Amino acid sequence: MRRLAVPFLLAAVLTGCSSTEVGKPSAGDQTGSAPTTGTSAGTAPVNRPKAVDLKTLDPCSLITPEQKTALGLKSANAGTPLPDYGEGSKSCNVSFDVRTYLGTMHTLLNGGVDRLKKTVGESKLTSLQVAGYPAYLTQRESPGSVGGCEVYIDANEGQLLLVDAFGGLGETSATTDGACERAKAVAGAVAATLAAK
């Protein structure tokens, strides 16, 4: 008798897991559709306007002539890539009409947000949205100058676009707030171009 009771009890429990009420999902109603964006590490999906592979991207190409004028940029020229940012990384040096500030853009190809949080420190990052992309802002200390401001744009899984601004050498009127204002403005412009690619 005891052997018969166990299957009936199990059947009763399983029946309770499947609801047929209108508007109430049952275990059989779940779909296996995968998110269109996200990470393979099993973390929450990342919502981006468009995931762009930065391996073939020239960061200088993200600044249009109209944006250059609107942002008060004098130039945007190819720079020297930094080995720390991964093989194939590219760099772009930016100068403003107001010579108080300079900036750079880098493609980071050797790790995404998880690596950023480990290397910079999660407590030093401020989350923000830049033209629909998740992004992170941090301020950088620099001996002998005002320091700088960095905006990391989560452009693709395992890849970041870094936009920074900092006080020029010997520019005593530069401020960290001024650097952050310029870094965020350039980041917003290039992220909009990125989303349209």
Side-chain angles (χ1 to χ4, degrees):
M1 184 70 167
R2 196 176 237 175
R3 286 185 191 163
L4 289 174
V6 172
F8 284 122
L9 182 60
L10 186 58
V13 170
L14 290 176
T15 303
C17 288
S18 180
S19 168
T20 54
E21 286 181 54
V22 176
K24 300 265 184 171
S26 70
D29 290 339
Q30 294 178 3
T31 60
S33 62
T36 55
T37 59
T39 66
S40 58
T43 57
V46 177
N47 290 320
R48 303 176 183 96
K50 183 177 185 181
V52 178
D53 186 357
L54 300 182
K55 290 178 183 171
T56 59
L57 181 83
D58 171 11
C60 289
S61 71
L62 295 174
I63 297 179
T64 66
E66 295 79 18
Q67 290 169 337
K68 195 173 168 185
T69 302
L71 294 166
L73 296 177
K74 188 165 79 172
S75 66
N77 301 311
T80 304
L82 298 177
D84 289 350
Y85 294 155
E87 188 177 337
S89 173
K90 295 179 183 66
S91 176
C92 181
N93 295 326
V94 175
S95 66
F96 294 88
D97 290 335
V98 177
R99 294 175 49 182
T100 308
Y101 297 95
L102 299 170
T104 57
M105 293 186 291
H106 299 276
T107 55
L108 280 66
L109 306 177
N110 60 351
V113 174
D114 290 340
R115 183 175 189 272
L116 174 67
K117 288 178 178 179
K118 288 175 189 169
T119 55
V120 171
E122 196 165 351
S123 64
K124 294 182 180 179
L125 297 169
T126 302
S127 297
L128 53 128
Q129 285 280 318
V130 179
Y133 283 94
Y136 300 86
L137 180 140
T138 187
Q139 294 180 2
R140 182 183 67 219
E141 299 289 324
S142 183
S145 77
V146 71
C149 198
E150 300 172 328
V151 177
Y152 295 86
I153 301 167
D154 188 354
N156 201 352
E157 185 177 346
Q159 300 177 348
L160 299 168
L161 178 65
L162 166 60
V163 178
D164 70 8
F166 46 90
L169 292 174
E171 292 294 342
T172 56
S173 60
T175 64
T176 303
D177 287 344
C180 285
E181 181 184 314
R182 282 156 182 82
K184 287 192 280 188
V186 174
V190 299
T193 306
L194 198 66
K197 281 207 166 284

